[in-house]
Amino acid sequence: MLVLIAEDDELILKTIEHKLKKEGFEVRLTRNGQEAMELLKSENFDLLISDIMMPFASGIEILAELKNLQKKMPVLMLSSMGQEEIILEAFDLGAADFMVKPFSPNELIIRINRLLRK
């Protein structure tokens, strides 16, 4: 399973990468939204984990691009802010799940496994 992680916080990015690799996932890392959108155009991923607030393009813009590309994959959104309108917009654009940072890496794995079973 190939997972794209789009996260500009280096500590969170490395934590997710380490946990996913330990669980047997293959990962690609991006530190801004523009890089994420470029990778989504060129590779096929089984899952996208994206922060909402990132440089160059937000997680919301990434979701809109996914819709334009007509790529179907579960998307797990991350944010340090729990603003309801942003969460609702993410779900309207196709996000499958949402987690507020900080979060438990073990809970992240449980949610990922649940998303990939569907």
Side-chain angles (χ1 to χ4, degrees), residues 23-113:
E23 295 291 324
F25 291 95
E26 185 179 350
V27 299
R28 300 278 187 283
L29 307 179
T30 64
R31 289 161 179 82
N32 68 63
Q34 188 61 43
E35 287 177 2
M37 288 192 286
E38 292 303 317
L39 278 173
L40 287 167
K41 290 176 187 174
S42 64
E43 292 189 58
N44 291 316
F45 294 92
D46 298 298
L47 173 71
L48 167 63
I49 300 172
S50 178
D51 188 11
I52 286 185
M53 300 299 292
M54 285 185 296
F56 307 118
S58 71
I60 298 297
E61 291 171 293
I62 294 169
L63 282 171
E65 181 67 15
L66 265 179
K67 203 172 204 176
N68 288 339
L69 294 171
Q70 298 182 356
K71 292 206 173 189
K72 303 283 186 207
M73 75 185 75
V75 179
L76 175 70
M77 300 300 294
L78 307 174
S79 181
S80 56
M81 55 184 188
Q83 294 180 336
E84 184 177 3
E85 65 274 3
I86 293 173
I87 296 167
L88 293 175
E89 185 177 4
F91 282 125
D92 283 344
L93 285 169
D97 203 351
F98 182 87
M99 293 183 75
V100 176
K101 297 186 271 184
F103 53 84
S104 157
N106 291 327
E107 180 183 354
L108 177 69
I109 293 300
I110 290 168
R111 288 178 184 235
I112 288 169
N113 287 332

